[in-house]
Amino acid sequence: MFEYLEEIALQLGPVKAALAATSFTWLMTALGASIVFLFRTINRAFFDTMLGFTGGVMIAASFWSLLNPSLEYAKEIFPTMHWLPVASGFLLGGLFIFALDKLLPHLHINFGSSEKEGIPTSWQKSTLLLLAITLHNIPEGLAIGILFGSASLGLEGASITAAVALAVGIGIQNIPEGMAVSMPLRRAGMSRRKSFWYGQLSAIVEPMAGVIGAVAVIYMKNILPFALSFAAGAMIFVVIEEVIPETQRDKYTDLAVLGFMIGFVVMMILDVAWA
């Protein structure tokens, strides 16, 4: 399967391939959001397990797909200080999401209305939930686009297959993210159609971020180690600041941890076995 997808990506070119891959992850979010047409509520134990799975995928992708090739490539173009662009990119990626977290009004999935973050606003809960998941999706889209752009430059460890594997892994974990927006809205009394609309809309930023990431590294080759580690730092910040706390609000913390470990292993296998 991966060989077939790799052939399609090669025919499309890095930018179009990044757009296609992030459109796929957007559709997977929509698939998760479509659960509202079948159920009004979802078992909390299952929900927390899937959130843990999401965190595991993102952490594994941050290392295997982004930081590792970033370090390898930095050795080629910055042989005496290869750690500098990687470390600075990683920290700035986290600071970028930190700034968005402080400025953008949003509400984490399992948090009460009084715990909303960002600039004070009177926006509805549906909008705040949507923006919270959108924060997750910005670094995911960037990571996919940057990896497709990296592959076009012939970087070892950043092959088209690795980029496809990352897109598949992110797509799988986007299913619970779509559910995470649509199901709470459905429980609050919103119609199935509107709940689905908000759920899928949370990932619309991924294709845009994916194209930006691919174009940036293609035309600015020397920023590649920085760009890869920037995406990694952004994803890890999201996991630690948002995903993990959301799994610790109920009695199913052990299931969330197991879900995290499974997600990590799934993404590692996708990246190592097929990349």
Side-chain angles (χ1 to χ4, degrees):
M1 180 186 73
F2 277 83
E3 290 80 4
Y4 175 70
L5 293 175
E6 182 178 6
E7 184 179 342
I8 293 175
L10 286 169
Q11 292 174 354
L12 289 174
V15 176
K16 289 181 180 179
L19 177 60
T22 48
S23 296
F24 161 74
T25 59
W26 177 17
L27 289 174
M28 294 297 277
T29 305
L31 177 63
S34 69
I35 296 295
V36 294
F37 293 112
L38 302 175
F39 305 102
R40 186 182 182 90
T41 60
I42 190 168
N43 182 274
R44 181 60 183 268
F46 174 77
F47 189 66
D48 284 349
T49 303
M50 293 304 293
L51 278 180
F53 180 90
T54 292
V57 168
M58 292 176 73
I59 291 291
S62 296
F63 177 75
W64 298 104
S65 299
L66 300 170
L67 284 175
N68 194 40
S70 174
L71 284 165
E72 290 300 317
Y73 191 57
K75 290 176 182 177
E76 296 180 15
I77 57 177
F78 304 105
T80 59
M81 298 182 71
H82 65 274
W83 52 269
L84 182 59
V86 180
S88 59
F90 182 84
L91 292 174
L92 286 173
L95 288 172
F96 171 70
I97 299 299
F98 173 78
L100 288 181
D101 186 68
K102 295 302 179 186
L103 295 173
L104 188 67
H106 62 284
L107 178 65
H108 296 314
I109 299 161
N110 293 325
F111 286 40
S113 298
S114 61
E115 298 175 276
K116 57 188 178 183
E117 300 179 4
I119 295 174
T121 180
S122 58
W123 291 351
Q124 294 181 347
K125 184 177 181 179
S126 59
T127 304
L128 296 174
L129 284 169
L130 170 65
L131 291 174
I133 299 297
T134 299
L135 275 175
H136 291 205
N137 290 322
I138 292 172
E140 292 170 6
L142 275 175
I144 294 170
I146 288 169
L147 204 55
F148 271 105
S150 304
S152 71
L153 299 175
L155 170 62
E156 184 179 352
S159 65
I160 291 293
T161 307
V164 171
L166 176 62
V168 170
I170 295 294
I172 291 171
Q173 63 94 46
N174 271 7
I175 296 175
E177 287 193 355
M179 295 164 53
V181 178
S182 62
M183 294 305 293
L185 298 180
R186 180 60 184 152
R187 283 199 306 270
M190 187 176 286
S191 69
R192 287 185 173 89
R193 187 170 296 178
K194 288 189 69 174
S195 298
F196 168 76
W197 171 254
Y198 279 109
Q200 63 82 30
L201 193 62
S202 64
I204 198 171
V205 295
E206 288 199 6
M208 293 182 280
V211 169
I212 291 170
V215 171
V217 298
I218 289 171
Y219 292 101
M220 292 178 283
K221 182 178 179 179
N222 284 343
I223 72 163
L224 188 51
F226 175 88
L228 287 164
S229 59
F230 181 95
M235 286 214 291
I236 287 178
F237 184 93
V238 165
V239 173
I240 296 173
E241 201 277 334
E242 296 190 18
V243 177
I244 291 177
E246 288 164 8
T247 67
Q248 304 300 302
R249 308 280 289 187
D250 213 317
K251 60 184 179 181
Y252 303 110
T253 55
D254 288 345
L255 290 176
V257 173
L258 291 173
F260 180 97
M261 295 179 71
I262 293 169
F264 186 95
V265 169
V266 167
M267 187 65 237
M268 181 182 68
I269 291 172
L270 285 174
D271 209 321
V272 175
W274 284 289

